[in-house]
Amino acid sequence: HGGIPVAQSIEIIGNTINNILYKEIFNKISQDIKSGMNLSDSIIQYSNYFPELVPQMIAVGEQTGQLDKILQKIADFYAREADTIVSNLTDLIQPFLMIGVGILVGLLFASILIPIYNLGGAIGAQ
């Protein structure tokens, strides 16, 4: 969509990613594309590292000539998936955080009030 050839864009992805394994995979995919292989066929070789949906959608995009739109849909789909996972994780962690804060506040009050009660008991005993 941006006017950059697919092989070059895959190579740029490989150079910017921090994961060494995926960096090597994207560089190999770029070399496959430069040698004339379809993007979907190249990604299928590394199907253990990509979701099953990705090469199928890319193959459809290649056949229809709308690879840029299909890649955008894939990106949007997985962005929503990541947001959903983060939201669910936040919802699961929140009750435990509330309990932890409640316990800490209780310990704080106890550490303040117990010495005061002990002091009052010591004065009353005299």
Side-chain angles (χ1 to χ4, degrees):
H1 183 73
I4 300 173
V6 174
Q8 186 179 357
S9 64
I10 297 292
E11 192 173 320
I12 291 170
I13 292 169
N15 291 332
T16 58
I17 199 164
N18 289 332
N19 188 315
I20 295 172
L21 177 65
Y22 279 99
K23 181 178 283 203
E24 292 176 10
I25 289 172
F26 280 114
N27 287 333
K28 289 177 185 176
I29 290 172
S30 174
Q31 293 301 319
D32 290 344
I33 293 170
K34 288 178 183 177
S35 67
M37 187 180 286
N38 287 337
L39 177 60
S40 59
D41 294 336
S42 182
I43 289 179
I44 287 173
Q45 294 176 358
Y46 307 102
S47 60
N48 293 341
Y49 302 103
F50 295 100
E52 189 176 324
L53 176 69
V54 172
Q56 294 173 359
M57 293 290 290
I58 290 174
V60 170
E62 289 174 335
Q63 292 171 0
T64 61
Q66 297 183 346
L67 184 59
D68 58 336
K69 292 179 184 176
I70 295 294
L71 289 173
Q72 185 62 49
K73 287 183 181 185
I74 292 170
D76 292 342
F77 174 76
Y78 285 109
R80 283 193 308 271
E81 284 287 317
D83 288 343
T84 301
I85 289 170
V86 169
S87 175
N88 290 342
L89 187 60
T90 303
D91 291 343
L92 288 173
I93 291 174
Q94 190 174 11
F96 295 111
L97 287 175
M98 294 298 288
I99 290 170
V101 169
I103 290 171
L104 289 175
V105 168
L107 289 173
L108 178 67
F109 280 129
S111 67
I112 293 171
L113 293 178
I114 289 175
I116 292 174
Y117 285 137
N118 287 341
L119 183 63
I123 292 175
Q126 290 178 358

